Amino acid sequence: MAKKTFEQSLSRLEEIVRALEQGETSLAESLKLFEEGTGLIRACESQLTEAEQKVVQLRAAADGTPEELPFEDV
């Protein structure tokens, strides 16, 4: 199975939340959906962390050329 994009994972997670909020699923189905949802959350967090690590800050170096700095939490 191909890896889902962040957007696909988020969309599926929203579907799961709606289904659980309606309260019309059996206990077994609710547990299955909850388990799928927690996996999707981990996948989304991983993708966000990966994206954050790719972000760089640009500034002008002493000679005027662009200089890349690693992303830092503010």
Side-chain angles (χ1 to χ4, degrees):
M1 177 182 224
K3 183 177 175 182
K4 290 183 179 183
T5 66
F6 177 82
E7 292 78 7
Q8 290 169 328
S9 294
L10 191 58
S11 177
R12 177 62 183 144
L13 189 56
E14 290 170 344
E15 290 173 7
I16 291 170
V17 169
R18 280 192 296 276
L20 291 173
E21 285 179 341
Q22 289 176 358
E24 297 178 5
T25 57
S26 67
L27 177 59
E29 182 64 20
S30 293
L31 289 172
K32 183 180 172 185
L33 289 171
F34 182 81
E35 184 177 333
E36 181 184 354
T38 56
L40 289 167
I41 289 170
R42 281 192 296 272
C44 286
E45 286 176 341
S46 175
Q47 289 173 320
L48 286 173
T49 298
E50 185 179 319
E52 182 179 54
Q53 291 172 353
K54 291 180 180 179
V55 173
V56 294
Q57 180 182 7
L58 295 177
R59 71 171 189 183
D63 64 359
T65 61
E67 178 181 42
E68 291 186 1
L69 300 173
F71 178 80
E72 296 178 9
D73 290 329
V74 180

